């Protein structure tokens, strides 16, 4: 597997509880490099665009409101097999189903407020990175 890049968000429930450093420690311990990172506060419209793939789901409105409720930290992670590796470090969407030691098992509040986002495929990773970062901001 070649070196890949993936897009990550440390979500409002985690930034609010001052968990950015603890989450970054798990990311770095897994061998992923944080090659770009910034703190932003999304508007509901920006959150809606980011999660547009879920717009028909019953939780969409709540999800957009939550993502715009507090600042988030957006990141680009780089490493061997980064997309799948970060999904592993994150754990299952529902913290009750997440494996021991994962970010969501240790920190998530609920299925909706689950501390982190990670891209699910190379195409979505490329789109998500381009939405939040200019090329010059990626320092590998
Ligand atoms: P993931 O974040 O693991 O990729 P997803 O893409 O299926 O999960 O969903 C995106 C986010 O939407 C998820 O992180 C939290 C929220 N979500 C998903 N399913 C939900 C549900 N059944 N109830 C409330 N929020 C949900
Ligand atoms: Mg997803």
């Amino acid at each position: 597997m070649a070196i890949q890049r993936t897009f990550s968000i440390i979500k409002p429930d985690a930034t609010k509880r001052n968990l950015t450093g603890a989450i970054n420690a798990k990311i770095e311990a897994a061998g992923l490099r944080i090659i770009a990172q910034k703190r932003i506060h999304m508007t509901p419209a920006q959150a809606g665009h980011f999660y547009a793939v879920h717009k028909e789901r019953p939780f969409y409105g709540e999800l957009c409101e939550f993502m715009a409720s507090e600042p988030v930290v957006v990141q680009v992670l780089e490493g061997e097999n980064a997309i799948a590796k970060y999904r592993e470090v994150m754990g299952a969407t529902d913290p009750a189903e997440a494996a021991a030691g994962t970010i969501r098992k240790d920190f998530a509040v609920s299925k909706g407020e689950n501390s982190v986002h990670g891209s699910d495929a190379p195409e979505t990773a490329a789109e998500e990175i381009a939405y939040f970062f200019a090329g010059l901001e990626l320092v590998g």
Side-chain angles (χ1 to χ4, degrees), residues 7-12 14-15 19-21 23-24 27 34 36-42 67 70-76 86 115-117 132-133:
F7 176 71
S8 161
I9 303 180
I10 301 178
K11 293 184 179 182
T15 59
L19 291 171
T20 299
I23 289 172
N24 280 348
I27 289 169
I34 302 165
Q37 171 169 264
K38 60 190 173 189
R39 186 170 161 97
I40 62 169
H41 195 153
M42 276 193 261
M67 291 300 288
E70 296 272 343
V72 298
V73 175
V74 291
Q75 307 176 306
V76 180
Y86 188 45
S115 301
V116 281
H117 164 83
F132 288 99
F133 289 97

Side-chain angles (χ1 to χ4, degrees), residues 11 51 54 57 59 63 87 90 92-93 104 111-112 114 116-118:
K11 293 184 179 182
Y51 271 130
H54 294 303
R57 311 278 288 275
F59 56 80
L63 175 62
R87 296 290 312 189
M90 287 163 57
T93 307
R104 284 166 165 171
K111 198 169 183 179
N114 59 5
V116 281
H117 164 83

